[in-house]
Amino acid sequence: MQRFINDPDNVVDDTVRGFVKAHRDLVRLSETNRRVVVSTHAPKNGRVGVVTGGGSGHEPAFIGYTGKGLVDAVAVGELFSSPTAKSFHDAIKEASGGAGVVCLYGNYAGDNMNVKMAQKLASKDGIEVAVVVANDDVCSAPPEEREKRRGVAGEIFMWKIGGAKANEGASLEEVRATAQKAIDNCRSIGVGLGPCTLPAVGHPNFQIEAGTMEVGIGHHGEPGIRVEPLKTATEVARDMAKIVLDDHALAAGTEVAVLVSGLGATPLNELYILNDTIEAEITGRGLTVYRTYVGNYFTSLEMVGATLTVLALDDELKRLLDAEARAPGFQG
Amino acid sequence: MQRFINDPDNVVDDTVRGFVKAHRDLVRLSETNRRVVVSTHAPKNGRVGVVTGGGSGHEPAFIGYTGKGLVDAVAVGELFSSPTAKSFHDAIKEASGGAGVVCLYGNYAGDNMNVKMAQKLASKDGIEVAVVVANDDVCSAPPEEREKRRGVAGEIFMWKIGGAKANEGASLEEVRATAQKAIDNCRSIGVGLGPCTLPAVGHPNFQIEAGTMEVGIGHHGEPGIRVEPLKTATEVARDMAKIVLDDHALAAGTEVAVLVSGLGATPLNELYILNDTIEAEITGRGLTVYRTYVGNYFTSLEMVGATLTVLALDDELKRLLDAEARAPGFQG
């Protein structure tokens, strides 16, 4: 393992400590829970708080989206593991400004369980918690079972739009409904070219043979819909766009936001190569690209690969996407 | 090679095309040279233009720093190769607003030669070009031969500060002098844990044995000062900080900006682990960290490793560092 780590069991604590030092103008550690990162712009009173959380190893997700106009508090899990119910609960308390808290997270069994428990605990504190569960990964279940799909990079749009709505002073129900609309309007797909290794394990927990790629891979190496010979970037991008857009079925003329994210070890230039074809495929279907994001927005340690997310926009979503945000992993 | 590419000989064109599509609000391709990227905020008249350029494969450097309050035009080279003199010349013409152009680039033989030729060509056009040559890589030559040192991630601070100074309406000589001060105040070091592969070559042009690391490695795999067994992140970060700060020899109380950049395939969380110790080492010497940047700011394809840059600040540099900038690879 060619990695910059200390004790493999301390990777998350070491990461969070270095993260808070780097971005102390935007974030702080909770005083009561070292697995909760809090925005320096978290609501003191009167506006809805926004919480997320998830396993570590996806940086800048989740902690990097803590900041102004984005997420108020993040529950931090071990590498690729859900945060505890206590951490979600503590994050909710940190984000609470008296107007309720919305918890915007991804559809994974551990997170579902722990958020539910945290919601009950917060209820006893008198904090009303609404939830939105991201399920944008089109390859993780068929369309008729959308509720089983996993949440992937579409969560970034959910956080951005939910955070902006909360920042406008909307009610808990309004923030929940708008974040729900954002994720309902998202479809994502991942393609993996190489695995990643949890430091405490020391070897990859899945394999991708050289010369092949896994279409539809999940953020933790969950199997995709097929393994096939590695194609050219143009062909891969066409496949990714086709799978996402076939599932999305958007009317011609729809404006979309596009997010091409690396999974950790793919050079940025290759994401741009993918985007060249992705944009052509999108506009070829009569859609208009309103805004494009390319970079390492939601990673999986040093996995080689990329994800594509397409968000269908309306006037409200455009306004909220464009609203000012300032977080370590997202500015704009 | 597990890569998202088409024809290996077209990697740069494919990249630039996808890049311009993604960020058309901020950049455009030159109409006369497909290897020149131009800011949509390039000067129309009256202010100094800012140009850089270099080999591709370092994204977001160099093209990602084209934008508002940053670089006005970038000459784009082949992977790890200097742009041509013609491309530098065309970039200078694109950035010219009648008040002269400053070319802020890194100390490599090909770039030096081609910038010099471009400068002569621009002179015939009546465009005065001042140059600043970055040489922040402390391990590439001893202190008594600083002029031989290579330019690495400190270039980002040079661009940011030079771009902000030009944006304030300063004269060509003022912009040059301030960008020169920025790079003079920078020291950088790289540590490599794994090599990278040029697609057209198909295999790494240097090796890093598993279990070892190369201290002082350059952005193209240039040899460092020593190869040694891979240490813990804390030990690596201490070594990086010691080498940079011993060379820098800053007075206690100096404020610094810190940039920890990944080289392409190192997970972001590991950069934060390094930063945890780097900050402790810096403050342990009586210096104050004014601002920290952590991420993939200047990469080398899929090289595994990280660089540390320390910039000594004064009031002018702080103001220029904090000035608004908006580019695909840098916002803030």
Side-chain angles (χ1 to χ4, degrees):
Chain A
M1 273 202 309
Q2 295 296 88
R3 310 285 281 270
F4 293 120
I5 56 168
N6 297 305
D7 182 339
D9 290 329
N10 292 342
V11 163
V12 175
D13 285 336
D14 290 352
T15 297
V16 172
R17 216 166 41 238
F19 170 80
V20 172
K21 283 183 184 175
H23 306 295
R24 58 168 66 95
D25 52 327
L26 294 168
V27 300
R28 63 175 175 83
L29 209 55
S30 164
E31 285 171 24
T32 56
N33 187 331
R34 73 180 197 284
R35 292 300 173 85
V36 173
V37 170
V38 186
S39 168
T40 53
H41 295 87
K44 293 291 172 283
N45 56 61
R47 90 165 157 76
V48 170
V50 179
V51 161
T52 190
S56 294
H58 302 296
E59 289 72 22
F62 296 79
I63 52 177
Y65 295 90
T66 321
K68 188 178 176 184
L70 257 160
V71 172
D72 294 305
V74 174
V76 179
E78 276 300 318
L79 290 172
F80 290 6
S81 296
S82 173
T84 62
K86 179 176 190 315
S87 291
F88 274 115
H89 179 213
D90 288 343
I92 289 164
K93 286 192 283 187
E94 292 280 6
S96 172
V101 171
V102 67
C103 184
L104 311 175
Y105 70 101
N107 188 26
Y108 297 89
D111 297 296
N112 284 324
M113 184 180 71
N114 290 324
V115 168
K116 194 164 283 181
M117 286 172 61
Q119 197 176 14
K120 281 186 189 162
L121 293 168
S123 170
K124 290 182 188 165
D125 305 326
I127 305 172
E128 190 181 357
V129 178
V131 301
V132 179
V133 187
N135 58 344
D136 51 308
D137 184 354
V138 299
C139 290
S140 53
E144 61 274 19
E145 298 181 297
R146 267 194 67 205
E147 76 287 354
K148 292 187 183 173
R149 289 180 174 176
R150 295 182 294 258
V152 284
E155 294 184 41
I156 292 160
F157 288 134
M158 173 177 71
W159 300 328
K160 174 69 184 75
I161 285 161
K165 188 76 177 177
N167 217 26
E168 286 186 350
S171 71
L172 179 61
E173 171 52 21
E174 287 168 337
V175 175
R176 187 208 62 75
T178 306
Q180 184 71 56
K181 179 169 74 171
I183 200 69
D184 284 346
N185 283 16
C186 274
R187 298 290 186 282
S188 299
I189 183 175
V191 171
L193 305 192
C196 58
T197 294
L198 293 166
V201 176
H203 58 82
N205 57 343
F206 63 101
Q207 293 293 340
I208 296 171
E209 295 294 324
T212 72
M213 61 180 183
E214 178 130 10
V215 177
I217 198 167
H219 268 161
H220 314 91
E222 295 93 335
I225 53 173
R226 59 178 188 256
V227 175
E228 61 185 19
L230 179 56
K231 299 177 181 174
T232 66
T234 298
E235 293 168 318
V236 173
R238 269 187 201 141
D239 288 352
M240 292 172 86
K242 178 172 168 43
I243 291 170
V244 159
L245 296 173
D246 283 356
D247 194 277
H248 223 343
L250 300 171
T254 303
E255 289 180 285
V256 299
V258 176
L259 169 64
V260 183
S261 178
L263 286 174
T266 288
L268 180 56
N269 76 310
E270 298 181 19
L271 303 179
Y272 283 120
I273 294 175
L274 290 174
N275 183 61
D276 183 37
T277 301
I278 286 168
E279 167 139 346
E281 293 295 305
I282 290 172
T283 56
R285 292 200 183 205
L287 308 172
T288 302
V289 176
Y290 177 71
R291 201 157 172 183
T292 303
Y293 303 82
V294 179
N296 286 312
Y297 285 91
F298 202 131
T299 67
S300 297
L301 293 170
E302 83 288 19
M303 204 189 293
V304 184
T307 63
L308 165 65
T309 300
V310 175
L311 165 68
L313 294 166
D314 60 18
D315 287 345
E316 181 188 33
L317 296 182
K318 283 198 285 186
R319 184 186 81 240
L320 297 168
L321 196 61
D322 289 341
E324 190 202 350
R326 195 157 165 254
F330 190 101
Q331 305 216 7
Chain B
M1 275 202 308
Q2 295 296 90
R3 310 284 283 269
F4 293 120
I5 57 168
N6 297 304
D7 182 340
D9 290 328
N10 292 341
V11 164
V12 175
D13 284 337
D14 290 353
T15 298
V16 171
R17 216 166 41 241
F19 171 80
V20 171
K21 283 183 182 175
H23 306 295
R24 59 168 65 94
D25 53 328
L26 293 169
V27 299
R28 63 175 176 82
L29 210 55
S30 163
E31 284 170 24
T32 56
N33 187 330
R34 74 180 197 285
R35 291 299 172 86
V36 173
V37 170
V38 186
S39 168
T40 54
H41 295 86
K44 292 292 173 281
N45 56 62
R47 89 163 158 78
V48 172
V50 180
V51 161
T52 190
S56 294
H58 302 295
E59 288 73 22
F62 296 79
I63 53 177
Y65 296 90
T66 321
K68 188 178 176 184
L70 256 158
V71 173
D72 294 306
V74 174
V76 178
E78 278 299 320
L79 290 172
F80 290 6
S81 297
S82 173
T84 62
K86 180 176 189 315
S87 290
F88 273 116
H89 180 211
D90 288 343
I92 289 165
K93 286 192 283 187
E94 292 281 4
S96 172
V101 172
V102 66
C103 184
L104 312 175
Y105 71 101
N107 189 27
Y108 297 89
D111 298 296
N112 284 324
M113 184 180 71
N114 291 323
V115 168
K116 196 165 282 183
M117 287 173 61
Q119 198 176 13
K120 282 185 192 165
L121 293 167
S123 171
K124 291 182 188 165
D125 305 328
I127 304 173
E128 190 181 356
V129 178
V131 301
V132 179
V133 187
N135 59 346
D136 52 308
D137 185 352
V138 298
C139 290
S140 52
E144 59 276 17
E145 299 181 298
R146 267 194 68 205
E147 75 287 354
K148 293 188 182 171
R149 287 180 175 176
R150 296 182 295 259
V152 284
E155 295 185 40
I156 292 159
F157 288 135
M158 175 178 68
W159 301 328
K160 175 66 186 73
I161 285 162
K165 188 76 178 177
N167 218 26
E168 285 186 350
S171 71
L172 179 60
E173 170 51 22
E174 287 168 336
V175 175
R176 186 208 62 74
T178 307
Q180 184 69 56
K181 178 169 76 171
I183 200 67
D184 285 346
N185 283 12
C186 273
R187 298 291 186 283
S188 298
I189 183 174
V191 171
L193 305 192
C196 58
T197 294
L198 292 165
V201 177
H203 57 80
N205 57 345
F206 63 101
Q207 294 293 338
I208 297 171
E209 295 296 323
T212 72
M213 61 178 183
E214 179 131 9
V215 178
I217 198 166
H219 269 161
H220 314 91
E222 295 94 336
I225 52 172
R226 59 178 188 257
V227 175
E228 59 184 20
L230 179 55
K231 299 177 181 176
T232 65
T234 297
E235 292 167 319
V236 174
R238 271 188 201 141
D239 287 352
M240 294 173 85
K242 178 174 169 40
I243 291 168
V244 160
L245 296 174
D246 283 355
D247 194 276
H248 224 341
L250 300 172
T254 304
E255 289 180 287
V256 299
V258 175
L259 169 64
V260 182
S261 177
L263 285 173
T266 289
L268 181 54
N269 75 310
E270 297 181 20
L271 304 180
Y272 283 120
I273 293 175
L274 291 175
N275 183 61
D276 182 37
T277 301
I278 285 167
E279 166 140 346
E281 293 296 305
I282 290 172
T283 56
R285 292 201 182 205
L287 309 171
T288 302
V289 176
Y290 177 71
R291 203 158 169 183
T292 303
Y293 303 82
V294 180
N296 286 311
Y297 284 91
F298 202 132
T299 66
S300 297
L301 294 169
E302 84 287 20
M303 205 188 294
V304 183
T307 63
L308 164 64
T309 300
V310 175
L311 165 67
L313 294 166
D314 60 18
D315 286 346
E316 181 187 33
L317 296 182
K318 282 197 287 185
R319 182 187 82 240
L320 296 168
L321 194 62
D322 289 342
E324 191 202 351
R326 196 157 163 254
F330 191 100
Q331 305 216 7

